[in-house]
Amino acid sequence: MTDVDHANAGYRRLFGGDGLSFGLGFPLTGETESTPDIDAELRLASHAETVGFDALWARDVPTYWPRFGDAGGAFDPWSLLSHVAAHTESVALGTASIVLPLRHPLHMAKSAATVDRLSDGRLVLGVASGDRDPEYPAFGVDPENRGQLVRESVEALRVLWREEYPTLDGSWGYLDGELDVLPKPTTDTLPLFPTGNARQSTEWIAENGDGWIFYHLPESTLESYLDTWRSHASEKPFTIAVQVEFAADPTAEPEPLHLGYRAGVEWFREYFRRLEEHGLDHVIVGLRAAEPEAAMTTFASEIIDEL
């Protein structure tokens, strides 16, 4: 397990306590097929921190593919999180998740460490192999090489953050000890969380990741995943993403949504209490609401404060 005492501020914010922590995923305005209003996003980010959410997560969607139906918030995650860092105080800033095969490890190491420095160590780095088929030819990447590229990138990032003037090579290029990448992060390395299977085995993720981010899972499936994860990774944290929409009736039973539920706040309170009892460590909430600020306040007061 990553030593919480020696991890960066973002990791400590999410996993330094005893119970389940909660984050929100951008776009906070809910605008997924165009460019969100940045002033509204920043206002909602500040409100989320004020009411008690522990993290704000930005997605990496390099190109908009209308057939996929989701622009992912439109903004580049590094620029967005740097801007959010300047308008918040202590909330963790996460990527969910950077598509490693489409990013050069040297650029990646520099960008991530820069955001970590600018935010006083608040960056938690979700990384993935990607899932939008047309993006690979657009970047000149063979999708069959995704698994290898993820492994190479993770290895390179660890070395680039930890060592000065490293000697390192991969399919992306090579360093011969004459060049360094600056800045270095605020801690020895940044917390890396593979997302989904990332074209890797569970054993590889447990050994090379500082935790695991997964998509929404039914409770029985989640319990099985957690059992398997604990057998390989001990106490390294496990995170899932859940779409949440509050019904007008606080006692309403759940209706399935894509990767989540529409239900009354009372059902959600018990649902998240069960997830905490199962041993889940963090939830990235996709909050669907016509009035997102009010929904954040309700979630914080009725769920976060009550667990």
Side-chain angles (χ1 to χ4, degrees):
M1 179 181 178
T2 297
D3 187 337
V4 173
D5 292 336
H6 294 91
N8 73 355
Y11 185 97
R12 295 196 307 270
R13 174 70 182 258
L14 296 187
F15 308 115
D18 295 328
L20 181 63
S21 61
F22 292 89
L24 285 171
F26 287 105
L28 303 175
T29 56
E31 176 55 71
T32 59
E33 296 184 9
S34 185
T35 302
D37 181 274
I38 190 59
D39 291 334
E41 292 289 321
L42 292 173
R43 175 177 54 80
L44 291 169
S46 179
H47 183 70
E49 179 178 49
T50 298
V51 299
F53 284 92
D54 293 298
L56 297 166
W57 294 87
R59 297 167 63 197
D60 182 25
V61 181
T63 62
Y64 177 42
W65 184 25
R67 279 183 55 190
F68 205 93
D70 182 359
F75 297 111
D76 175 81
W78 306 126
S79 302
L80 175 62
L81 291 178
S82 294
H83 202 42
V84 172
H87 290 80
T88 54
E89 297 293 333
S90 61
V91 68
L93 304 173
T95 60
S97 292
I98 298 295
V99 184
L100 291 180
L102 305 184
R103 297 213 177 232
H104 196 286
L106 299 182
H107 285 141
M108 174 81 179
K110 188 177 190 74
S111 296
T114 296
V115 173
D116 186 62
R117 283 281 180 179
L118 294 177
S119 65
D120 293 325
R122 291 191 272 151
L123 184 65
V124 177
L125 202 59
V127 295
S129 60
D131 57 8
R132 303 187 184 214
D133 294 341
E135 288 190 330
Y136 301 100
F139 283 87
V141 172
D142 184 347
E144 296 301 315
N145 294 335
R146 278 177 285 179
Q148 174 193 343
L149 292 172
V150 167
R151 293 189 297 274
E152 285 189 345
S153 290
V154 168
E155 177 188 12
L157 290 171
R158 298 292 198 197
V159 171
L160 291 165
W161 290 328
R162 286 174 168 152
E163 298 183 16
E164 296 181 354
Y165 301 98
T167 300
L168 185 66
D169 65 70
S171 62
W172 49 269
Y174 67 93
L175 294 172
D176 60 5
E178 293 188 297
L179 300 174
D180 200 6
V181 175
L182 299 176
K184 302 300 183 186
T186 59
T187 48
D188 178 54
T189 183
L190 289 174
L192 281 173
F193 283 62
T195 302
N197 289 310
R199 303 276 164 163
Q200 311 303 322
S201 66
T202 303
E203 292 83 355
W204 185 93
I205 293 170
E207 180 178 353
N208 293 276
D210 296 301
W212 197 3
I213 297 174
F214 218 85
Y215 310 102
H216 172 255
L217 296 167
E219 282 186 66
S220 59
T221 307
L222 174 61
E223 286 186 87
S224 175
Y225 269 74
L226 283 167
D227 287 343
T228 300
W229 178 243
R230 297 301 174 212
S231 70
H232 291 297
S234 186
E235 296 304 311
K236 287 184 179 181
F238 194 95
T239 293
I240 64 169
V242 179
Q243 293 292 308
V244 170
E245 182 177 336
F246 289 133
D249 179 359
T251 66
E253 290 297 302
E255 302 173 19
L257 298 174
H258 179 59
L259 301 178
Y261 304 100
R262 180 180 186 273
V265 67
E266 294 182 8
W267 182 86
F268 275 117
R269 187 185 303 124
E270 294 307 312
Y271 169 69
F272 287 117
R273 183 170 286 127
R274 292 194 302 272
L275 298 193
E276 185 175 48
E277 291 171 352
H278 295 329
L280 187 67
D281 298 288
H282 183 70
V283 177
I284 303 171
V285 177
L287 197 55
R288 300 185 179 188
E291 298 181 3
E293 185 170 320
M296 289 179 192
T297 301
T298 297
F299 193 104
S301 62
E302 296 290 342
I303 297 172
I304 296 176
D305 294 346
E306 295 297 321
L307 291 186

